[in-house]
Amino acid sequence: MKWHRTLRGVGAAVIAGTVASVALSGCAAEGPAADPAGGERTLTLGVSGEPQSFDPALQQSGGDQRWRWQATFDSLLHCEADGSVVPNAAESYTLSKDARTLTMKLREGMTFSDGTPVDAAAAKATIEHMKVGGGSDAGRVADVTVETPDDLTVVLKAPRPTGQLPTFMCLAPGAIAQPEQIESGAVASNPVSSGPYVLDVAGSTSGSVYRFEKRDDYWNADAYAYDVITFVTMSEATARLNALMSGEIDGATINYDQAGEAESSGLHVLSAPGTWTGLYLNDRAGEAVPALGDVRVRRAINMVFDRQGVADHIMGGEATPTTQIFNPSSAAFDPALDERYPYDVEAARKLMKEAGYSDGFEVEVPTQGENPIYAPMVAQQLGLLNIDVKEVPLTGPTAITDILGGRFPIMDARMSTSASSLFSIVEALEPGSIWNVMQTEDPKLQKLLDEAQVARGERADEVYREINEYVVDQAWFAPWVAENTFFAVRDAEMVPEMTDPFKFNPYLRDFK
Amino acid sequence: MIGFTLRRLASALLLVVVVTCATFLLIFSDGATIARATLGESATQEAVEAKAVQLGLDQPVVTQYLDWVQGVLHGSLGNSYFTGEPVTAMLLTRLPVTLSLTVIVVLLTALISVLVGTLAAVRGGWLDRGLQLLAVAGAAVPGFIVAIILVLTVAVGWGALPATGYVPVTTDPGGWARSLVLPVLAILVGSVGGAAQQFRGAISDVLQQDFVRTLRSRGIGEFPIVARHVLRAAAAPGLTILSLQTIGMLGGVVLIEQVFALPGVGDLALETTMRSDVPVVMGCVVFTVLVVVVVNLVADVVGAWINPKVRLA
């Protein structure tokens, strides 16, 4: 089974049944974005997710849904492709040494599309609305307090070291909406814009087509190349590819099995490793299945999977073998660690014998109806170690509750990764992390995790690598491959690369 | 006739109650799970519980259903758990898409199948055999395969028609028609194949009957016999076939709407069912049940009008 986790809310991972990748290619000419001599330039993008309200508290940080709010609401900070955080609406920021206080200075003279000022009060009102507005990103700022010493200064205070605070201000919690509109609820359907574009209500059809016009009075208007951006909802990947091939849209997320067809039809396909696929060995403390508490058993499990085979034959070559849960572009990633667990069933059996489990054990592994590609492989390969896999089919919305509730000692998953190492750490390794479903705590690791929250510069990268090395050595997971995500565009010159840290799709400003 | 219609309406009402109640019980999992789905994986337990209370998901499911019924009686289908949008507003933007598609398909199916079915039954020979073959082929190939072939040739290959999207008829009637050609064709292939064959069977049965022989013996031409007498006699089974096709089509439309990125009710139902957005799913169900009820009612009433014996049943 695969868990497609969306970045909604969570922090993290964007995964997505549609793994996206980006492609740029060149054919073009008469697409909808054509630029008739000096005329209005229009960019039309296909969006996979169901459109939500414009209420800033309900926005998601991942996937292609974020384009709509990022067109409408400026974010305080901006995350680069490498995961680093740079100024945006805030022209500077400082994170205190203890990583509990984030101070941001806003640019002077910014305004909403109705002329009212974009100031500290607006930023504060939006963050406070996010905390209670019932959206999926609320958790990121739930215990943060906001202070505004003056009109242009916003200070966030967290009760514990939170090295991710600046990153959160690039995501949905960093959006700035107009306080009066938040109060009245008008923001949900007809938002006043603090961002580069403003919604053209008359030119849009709710739930289907959203048309945005560029704001020339936006402080960073020069960074956006298109006068008009239109988002068309296309939940089905086939529809997105058809629309791309017929020139109705300029860019969209596509699936890995569509990449070849997209390229052969002249589209340009961007791809980058954006997810890891493999097993979560949740019960690494051995609470439910004592055998899993033995590191030799977890290592043995890592050694019965032919990672290259998975990459070549299941993923059609659109993946690279890995033993790590970190994105290959992140600081934590170390190519040498990928050699740690070679495919060697005999050696794995020996490890099981040493651990006293040569007769194996029984374990429940969830399967999900939609994507059972990996399930037979898991049962078969673990069977080589006499591990008896009991498949538990999960369906519908209760599935995620069962998963997160820590019911399964082992589960297979497909998780999005970020160029930001700290992001993955916070998602999966802390005792309170959402994807540390059995809340494993390891004193040795904890020291490193605590340091990761406050470390800066080179020391931070070192800590991330140490954490990764420890987790790989202790075999907390059994990753198989880093899968590519795909994004197709009409024209190779439109977008140079997948520019977001999650490698899901480019930012609007990067479409040229 | 009025009494007959009223009886049909009463049984239709019962159908609506039974179906909506059953659906509500089926899709409602448990409140906390739905609240969790709306908030995302990382929401805290307190936030989830608060959301469940806010949405009324902490109430017994029967109470929730009765609340929903009360809302419907007051003209409100509630608000989406996820977007907060009123369900009626969401449905209103999507009804024109699905209705355009289904109404056009039903009319064309009726017209083409009657023509082709009658011709095949009356003429027989190669025309009849050709129809049988086409009908089997049409029924065997799923609509979405036809859709993909049409898109790849007509839209992507020749650029003659749009591959995706819907244009409201009020915005641009020409664009509206163009946006519907391929989806309508994709559904028609299957529906005409099946319906024409059924019509052929019905007509052919009537042609065997004694009254036709009598008419022929009186020297009346074949065309007037078929047009005035045979078609009328074959109308009852024909209507049944059409109404079944229309109802069955509502399922097929879901896929077609996905392939052509048409923002219709099927697309909405699929999306919202996946995430247990109960009010929206219920709205879609109400729509679907209403279509079923109306189609059956029309078929019954028209059938009764044509054939007085039915009225007594």
Side-chain angles (χ1 to χ4, degrees), chain A residues 5-6 8-10 50-53 58 134-136 206-208 233-236 238-239 242-243 245-246 248 261 370 397-398 400-401 404 434-435, chain B residues 29-30 33 36-42 51 82-83 85 93-94 148 151-152 155-156 161-164 258-261 263 267-268 271 274-276:
Chain A
R5 160 188 183 203
T6 56
R8 122 202 291 225
V10 174
E50 185 75 1
Q52 309 284 324
S53 143
L58 300 179
S136 59
S206 178
S208 160
T233 305
M234 299 181 165
S235 48
E236 175 58 44
T238 308
N242 289 340
M245 292 196 296
S246 64
E248 285 155 39
E261 189 180 357
E370 290 171 32
T398 51
I400 193 67
T401 312
L404 294 181
I434 187 86
W435 288 102
Chain B
S29 43
D30 76 290
T33 299
R36 159 78 61 192
T38 65
L39 293 179
E41 297 145 2
S42 64
K51 187 81 178 177
F82 283 76
T83 66
E85 259 185 286
T93 64
R94 286 162 180 273
I148 290 170
V151 167
L152 291 182
V156 176
L161 288 164
T164 57
Q258 294 272 308
V259 172
F260 290 98
D267 179 62
L268 183 69
E271 287 274 340
M274 299 293 282
R275 52 184 197 203
S276 281

Side-chain angles (χ1 to χ4, degrees), chain A residues 328-339:
Chain A
S329 71
S330 67
F333 191 85
D334 178 0
L337 288 174
D338 285 343
E339 311 300 321

Side-chain angles (χ1 to χ4, degrees), chain A residues 82-305:
Chain A
D82 63 1
S84 61
V85 180
V86 298
N88 198 46
E91 62 183 0
S92 67
Y93 74 93
T94 50
L95 182 64
S96 66
K97 257 203 149 107
D98 63 1
R100 289 175 198 231
T101 307
L102 174 67
T103 307
M104 294 172 284
K105 288 272 178 208
L106 301 189
R107 287 168 203 281
E108 263 182 78
M110 294 188 297
T111 56
F112 284 99
S113 51
D114 68 348
T116 52
V118 172
D119 55 14
K124 178 179 177 182
T126 317
I127 295 171
E128 289 187 336
H129 176 57
M130 170 60 86
K131 288 164 67 172
V132 297
S136 59
D137 264 35
R140 299 187 206 272
V141 286
D143 47 14
V144 163
T145 53
V146 190
E147 289 167 16
T148 53
D150 62 59
D151 280 354
L152 296 176
T153 308
V154 182
V155 182
L156 300 190
K157 292 197 166 152
R160 66 189 74 83
T162 311
Q164 286 284 85
L165 273 180
T167 301
F168 292 162
M169 293 299 110
C170 311
L171 306 178
I176 310 172
Q178 201 204 38
E180 291 79 30
Q181 278 213 318
I182 294 175
E183 190 72 29
S184 70
V187 71
S189 54
N190 190 4
V192 164
S193 169
S194 61
Y197 293 86
V198 62
L199 177 69
D200 168 17
V201 177
S204 303
T205 309
S206 178
S208 160
V209 177
Y210 293 85
R211 185 177 185 275
F212 286 84
E213 288 172 354
K214 189 172 172 180
R215 284 182 61 204
D216 291 327
D217 55 344
Y218 174 63
W219 67 271
N220 197 19
D222 291 346
Y224 292 82
Y226 289 87
D227 304 304
V228 172
I229 298 187
T230 303
F231 300 111
V232 185
T233 305
M234 299 181 165
S235 48
E236 175 58 44
T238 308
R240 295 196 293 276
L241 182 59
N242 289 340
L244 278 162
M245 292 196 296
S246 64
E248 285 155 39
I249 58 175
D250 299 313
T253 289
I254 59 170
N255 291 346
Y256 77 92
D257 52 5
Q258 296 176 313
E261 189 180 357
E263 274 177 345
S264 66
S265 65
L267 297 166
H268 188 78
V269 178
L270 294 184
S271 69
T275 63
W276 74 265
T277 302
L279 295 178
Y280 267 74
L281 306 181
N282 292 323
D283 195 12
R284 66 270 297 193
E287 288 164 9
V289 178
L292 285 173
D294 191 314
V295 69
R296 288 168 295 191
V297 172
R298 301 198 300 271
R299 286 175 183 157
I301 290 174
N302 261 281
M303 293 167 73
V304 289
F305 290 98

Side-chain angles (χ1 to χ4, degrees), chain B residues 9-232:
Chain B
L9 272 177
S11 70
L13 189 67
L14 188 68
L15 179 72
V16 173
V17 172
V18 170
V19 171
T20 55
C21 184
T23 312
F24 202 96
L25 294 177
L26 279 174
I27 58 172
F28 188 84
S29 43
D30 76 290
T33 299
I34 296 174
R36 159 78 61 192
T38 65
L39 293 179
E41 297 145 2
S42 64
T44 59
Q45 197 53 37
E46 298 84 69
V48 170
E49 280 159 20
K51 187 81 178 177
V53 173
Q54 184 204 330
L55 296 174
L57 292 168
D58 55 334
Q59 302 293 315
V61 64
V62 177
T63 314
Q64 292 187 46
Y65 175 68
L66 292 178
D67 284 349
W68 178 81
V69 171
Q70 203 176 13
V72 173
L73 294 178
H74 288 85
S76 158
L77 287 167
N79 293 331
S80 160
Y81 288 163
F82 283 76
T83 66
E85 259 185 286
V87 174
T88 36
M90 292 171 86
L91 282 176
L92 279 178
T93 64
R94 286 162 180 273
L95 281 182
V97 184
T98 304
L99 285 180
S100 304
L101 200 57
T102 42
V103 169
I104 293 175
V105 171
V106 169
L107 291 180
L108 287 177
T109 304
L111 192 70
I112 300 172
S113 352
V114 168
L115 279 177
V116 177
T118 309
L119 266 179
V122 174
R123 286 276 166 83
W126 64 267
L127 184 71
D128 194 18
R129 286 194 292 277
L131 170 73
Q132 305 280 344
L133 194 71
L134 281 181
V136 171
V141 182
F144 68 90
I145 299 277
V146 179
I148 290 170
I149 294 171
L150 285 174
V151 167
L152 291 182
T153 51
V154 182
V156 176
W158 312 333
L161 288 164
T164 57
Y166 174 77
V167 180
V169 66
T170 45
T171 312
D172 172 11
W176 172 78
R178 283 165 51 82
S179 69
L180 287 175
V181 172
L182 294 183
V184 164
L185 274 180
I187 307 176
L188 265 188
V189 170
S191 65
V192 166
Q197 210 180 12
Q198 300 282 347
F199 268 103
R200 176 202 162 276
I203 303 251
S204 162
D205 284 348
V206 178
L207 283 173
Q208 313 289 323
Q209 290 184 19
D210 292 346
F211 81 89
V212 177
R213 194 183 49 192
T214 312
L215 289 169
R216 282 187 185 136
S217 71
R218 295 174 67 183
I220 300 175
E222 194 69 14
F223 180 77
I225 293 177
V226 171
R228 277 196 218 140
H229 304 282
V230 176
L231 274 181
R232 185 171 168 134

